[in-house]
Amino acid sequence: PLPRPRPFHLRQGLPRAKVVLDPGHGGRDPGALGVTGVREKDVPLDICRTIRDRIGRSGGPEILLTRDGDVFLPLNDRIAFAEEMDADLFISIHADAAPTPDARGLSAYTLSERASDGLADALASAENRVDRLYGVDLSHTDAAVAMILQDLAHRYSHHASRTAKQKLVSGLVGQIDLLYNPMRSASFAVLKSAQVPAVLLETGFLSNPQDERLLAQTESRRRIAAILGNRIATVAGELRIQSGA
Ligand code: ZN
């Protein structure tokens, strides 16, 4: 049976927290391809829709999606949407290919100038290439991560991003299979927000047959979405209280 949504850590009278979920890839960008042909772009879209339908309608945080169909969306537009919506939390959801086929399980990433490890670096490089690959002009959007992280104005969102990552992952222990060292960081372009705490979640790796099977089956994918949704709702509420909103 699916776990039920938990009560949310929102104080009485506070406005609902707002979470922007970002299904990775889409349209002409299929993302990673699984060993049996599953397309990455389809997996996070279904997970994000499931979370929105379960959590957004149960009194939890308001859930907005950067895309709600099979459309291509440049990386910058995704984070710009979260900033325009004044979101409390931005979560980009993926199911990429890992550099090695034995890597499996969920992992969470925040922005850093230097990658925490080779796997995170490889994922960020692959993700950051998609705009160039699929014909987006980046000449006006190439902000340096170092500058972003040095800017005092960005300290809150950077700190809150790491807090959100830790809270998300720690609450998933024992509920979802996790990658070894599930909390990592790298220079993901989609996480370069000045204002909105941002985390990228790899729900699993399509390069791993076991993960692909889990993510391809509707039932197990919905179960992952339900668990993730509950966790996201809790973390969003806690962030909102901490930020004094
Ligand atoms: Zn991806």
Side-chain angles (χ1 to χ4, degrees):
L2 293 176
R4 292 171 60 85
R6 297 208 184 96
F8 305 104
H9 297 205
L10 293 174
R11 281 185 201 146
Q12 285 283 315
L14 270 178
R16 294 167 78 193
K18 196 185 286 178
V19 179
V20 167
L21 296 182
D22 174 44
H25 311 278
R28 60 185 184 266
D29 169 17
L33 293 176
V35 281
T36 68
V38 176
R39 300 178 306 183
E40 182 187 359
K41 66 176 182 177
D42 300 325
V43 172
L45 180 59
D46 185 65
I47 289 175
C48 291
R49 282 172 166 164
T50 304
I51 293 173
R52 178 191 58 195
D53 294 348
R54 285 175 52 84
I55 302 300
R57 292 174 194 157
S58 66
E62 186 181 352
I63 306 280
L64 301 166
L65 269 52
T66 55
R67 67 174 177 98
D68 192 11
D70 186 16
V71 293
F72 179 79
L73 204 57
L75 298 175
N76 234 47
D77 290 9
R78 299 170 187 260
I79 200 72
F81 175 74
E83 291 181 345
E84 272 164 37
M85 293 294 116
D86 197 22
D88 296 289
L89 183 58
F90 170 87
I91 304 181
S92 192
I93 298 194
H94 291 255
D96 280 284
T100 53
D102 56 316
R104 66 167 305 253
L106 181 140
S107 49
Y109 304 78
T110 46
L111 183 69
S112 68
E113 192 180 348
R114 291 181 58 170
S116 58
D117 58 279
L119 183 146
D121 193 32
L123 290 174
S125 302
E127 285 300 326
N128 295 349
R129 266 198 302 272
V130 297
D131 276 0
R132 226 175 291 274
L133 273 178
Y134 297 100
V136 177
D137 175 17
L138 291 174
S139 52
H140 59 291
T141 62
D142 262 345
V145 182
M147 283 178 62
I148 285 183
L149 294 183
Q150 279 160 17
D151 186 335
L152 291 181
H154 301 151
R155 277 204 180 170
Y156 164 71
S157 73
H158 186 55
H159 176 74
S161 299
R162 284 180 298 178
T163 304
K165 174 176 71 176
Q166 283 157 6
K167 285 176 179 287
L168 282 169
V169 170
S170 63
L172 294 173
V173 173
Q175 297 199 70
I176 287 184
D177 290 340
L178 300 173
L179 180 70
Y180 57 94
N181 298 333
M183 290 184 276
R184 301 174 185 234
S185 58
S187 62
F188 288 95
V190 77
L191 299 180
K192 290 179 190 174
S193 174
Q195 303 154 35
V196 181
V199 177
L200 185 141
L201 285 182
E202 294 284 358
T203 48
F205 294 115
L206 288 179
S207 43
N208 177 274
Q210 199 177 344
D211 271 3
E212 188 191 30
R213 207 177 320 122
L214 280 174
L215 293 167
Q217 286 168 357
T218 306
E219 206 174 310
S220 56
R221 195 170 59 227
R222 297 264 155 96
R223 184 174 173 277
I224 290 170
I227 294 167
L228 265 185
N230 290 349
R231 195 62 210 146
I232 288 168
T234 301
V235 172
E238 288 175 357
L239 276 186
R240 191 167 186 90
I241 290 169
Q242 281 178 1
S243 68

